[in-house]
Amino acid sequence: MAATCVNNALIVIATALFLITLPSSMAGGNFNQDVDITWGDGRGKILNNGKLLTLSLDRASGSGLQSKNQYLYGKIDMQIKLVPGNSAGTVTAYYLRSDGTSWDEIDFEFLGNLSGDPYVVHTNVYTQGKGDREQQFYLWFDPTANFHTYSILWNPAHIVFYVDGRPIREFKNLEGVGVPYPKNQPMKLYSSLWNADDWATRGGLVKTDWSQAPFTASFRNLKLNGCVWSNGVSSCNSSSNSSDNNNSWLSQQLDSNSQKRLKWVQNNYMIYNYCSDNKRFPEGLPLECTLRSN
């Protein structure tokens, strides 16, 4: 009996030490500390002591959140369970955006659909107020059955969109050859659930079925690992952070295996690519499309 108690005590101590030594980036954030619910009149809720957040939409209003901090480069992860059932007409948005009329923005938008039909994952990159860089994908799983991790990597070299750790899109910094890249404007993280039945599902042909309301999306395990921008200074510029392993994302590239995984998604699940839409750009594709894949 004594030996068993000692062994159990050692297991508890070892587990505690392991958890203490985990990098901070591996711990899920607390919504109470990281974000504010900014609109929705009570339709956005932070639950379970900050571990769970829900956004809801009904005929009167949707709801949304924004991060407390601004970031100039970052690696953002969020686990999301999308609106189940007949979600046609609804959009769950998850994105980074700066202020002003010439804003920068990095978008994930999840376009709802009729029951049994797949969600569309809509991505876009805005620089200085100009977007028109849409790529759209289906997913290889049901995003309403369980939580899945959606990530944005934004560093000086590129922007990468990830689903469950698998890259689905890369937008490279080609500023040297004249393609604008978001690098000067700090951004906040936003998420919202709103009605867009004028365009979201089959170009607006399928409208929101309000008898199914309220529509609810759930969020957990937010990880905001970024360069906090405050009073014109980046937290990544301090000497104490220059060698921090948690900032390895600042120079993170896609290795050969990641490139293969990216191509697998684009070959099998991409349903729209602005770089292939010659009809949309009769005077010529955007410059980044003619240089390399984005």
Side-chain angles (χ1 to χ4, degrees), residues 90-103:
T90 71
V91 173
T92 304
Y94 163 55
Y95 59 103
L96 293 164
R97 180 180 169 128
S98 65
D99 296 328
T101 56
S102 296
W103 74 97

Side-chain angles (χ1 to χ4, degrees), residues 80 103 110 172 189 220 269 292:
I80 307 174
W103 74 97
F110 305 94
K172 297 177 181 178
L189 173 71
R220 71 182 187 189
Y269 292 95
R292 62 185 75 180

Side-chain angles (χ1 to χ4, degrees), residues 130 132-133 179 274-275 277 281 284-291:
K130 184 181 184 303
D132 298 332
R133 299 186 177 99
V179 179
Y274 76 109
C275 280
D277 195 343
F281 302 102
L285 293 171
L287 179 58
E288 66 268 20
C289 301
T290 65
L291 295 170

